[in-house]
Amino acid sequence: MASTNCVFCACIDQASVGVVEQWGRFVRLAGPGLHFFNPFAGECLAGTLSTRVSSLDVRVETKTKDNVFVQLLCSIQYRVVKENADDAFYELQNPQEQIQAYVFDVVRAHVPKMNLDELFEQKNDVAKAVLEELEKVMEGYGYSIEQILMVDIIPDPAVRKAMNEINAAQRLQLASVYKGEAEKVLMVKKAEAEAEAKYLGGVGVAKQRQAITEGLRENILNFSHTVSGTSAKEVMELIMVTQYFDTIKELGNSSRNTTVFIPHGPGHVRDITDQIRNGVMEASSTSYL
């Protein structure tokens, strides 16, 4: 706009262009700066136009191919072409309404061909279609369409709620699948660990029995060589009786409050010896399998 305007002169601001008329007829464009006019010859400044980029927000309500009503918020950035400022000044009385009308027409022609999901994915295609149409039309009126942004797509509140519920249900279903897989892996690993533990326990018991057998054999052989006239059976019974009394002693010295009833008497020693001997023989036979 002109900061100074009188009959003889006018000052036009930067990023603006003036339209000069003579006797009501357009004669020339005036750039930024101070300009002098001859009012006696009918010259005057009819008006000014800004060449800055302007922004116009347009809200369009339409429906998609799957009959969902949506609102699209478009931001149109446009400017006056300096060389064609006279067309912009004389051709259009309200350029904002003209741009808005074309945006409505193009959007309502493209969006009904898309589903709601496709609209969210291809919103840039809609903006490109609007840009191409506006460029062809507004160029003849002295306007340049710089850019069109599809700022937001707003479905009906009921549709948005349903979409959120569908998304939540899908995520819960996926979480259930992952949870089931995790429990399955945990159970399998637990079973494998128990099987491994039982196997290692069996190996340990077998090795323990084998070690006891080898120790008893060495003790019997050493005792038989040291004390003459003793048989291996007598030495074995002596060792078993010694271990029997050692066990009784350990039970008596135990700090736990546990009462153990063991049949005790001279006649039971032979039974214990026979039981231990049978156990040693079973361990020996197991180690050779």
Side-chain angles (χ1 to χ4, degrees), residues 68-71 116 120 152-160 163:
V68 177
F69 283 89
V70 295
Q71 290 186 357
L116 182 60
F120 277 97
D152 198 5
I153 300 174
I154 308 173
D156 186 82
V159 176
R160 281 189 292 174
M163 292 173 63

Side-chain angles (χ1 to χ4, degrees), residues 8-233:
F8 297 98
C9 64
C11 185
I12 300 175
D13 293 337
Q14 184 67 30
S16 298
V17 60
V19 178
V20 181
E21 294 179 348
Q22 186 177 22
W23 305 116
R25 177 175 173 272
F26 170 75
V27 289
R28 60 186 173 91
L29 296 174
L34 180 62
H35 296 269
F36 293 92
F37 307 104
N38 186 1
F40 300 104
E43 285 187 348
C44 67
L45 181 64
T48 59
L49 292 174
S50 175
T51 58
R52 295 186 179 95
V53 176
S54 301
S55 179
L56 174 64
D57 293 334
V58 180
R59 185 180 295 269
V60 185
E61 185 175 6
T62 182
K63 74 171 185 174
T64 60
K65 186 177 180 180
D66 46 355
N67 296 323
V68 177
F69 283 89
V70 295
Q71 290 186 357
L72 282 77
L73 183 60
C74 305
S75 179
I76 295 91
Q77 298 177 359
Y78 65 97
R79 70 190 308 167
V80 173
V81 180
K82 184 181 298 184
E83 293 77 11
N84 300 325
D86 54 329
D87 294 332
F89 187 80
Y90 291 105
E91 297 293 335
L92 291 180
Q93 183 176 2
N94 194 329
Q96 289 82 9
E97 290 185 0
Q98 186 79 8
I99 293 174
Q100 183 174 341
Y102 278 103
V103 171
F104 272 57
D105 182 67
V106 176
V107 170
R108 288 176 176 172
H110 282 75
V111 173
K113 300 177 182 179
M114 303 178 180
N115 294 327
L116 182 60
D117 294 336
E118 294 175 349
L119 177 59
F120 277 97
E121 295 173 359
Q122 303 176 17
K123 67 175 185 177
N124 291 333
D125 295 341
V126 178
K128 184 178 179 181
V130 175
L131 176 62
E132 292 175 354
E133 186 67 22
L134 281 179
E135 281 181 339
K136 290 188 297 183
V137 175
M138 299 305 294
E139 184 179 2
Y141 297 115
Y143 285 90
S144 171
I145 306 300
E146 300 296 323
Q147 193 173 9
I148 293 181
L149 302 176
M150 198 64 61
V151 179
D152 198 5
I153 300 174
I154 308 173
D156 186 82
V159 176
R160 281 189 292 174
K161 183 179 179 181
M163 292 173 63
N164 292 331
E165 291 177 353
I166 293 173
N167 194 355
Q170 291 176 346
R171 293 183 180 275
L172 287 175
Q173 183 180 5
L174 186 61
S176 300
V177 173
Y178 283 128
K179 184 178 180 181
E181 291 294 332
E183 292 178 352
K184 177 182 176 182
V185 172
L186 185 62
M187 293 177 64
V188 171
K189 292 298 181 182
K190 184 178 179 181
E192 292 177 354
E194 290 178 354
E196 186 71 15
K198 290 180 180 179
Y199 170 76
L200 295 177
V203 173
V205 171
K207 290 183 178 180
Q208 180 184 14
R209 291 178 179 177
Q210 183 178 0
I212 292 174
T213 303
E214 292 177 355
L216 290 174
R217 183 180 62 185
E218 291 178 1
N219 290 334
I220 292 171
L221 293 176
N222 292 333
F223 196 86
S224 298
H225 292 313
T226 304
V227 181
S228 60
T230 58
S231 63
K233 180 179 180 181

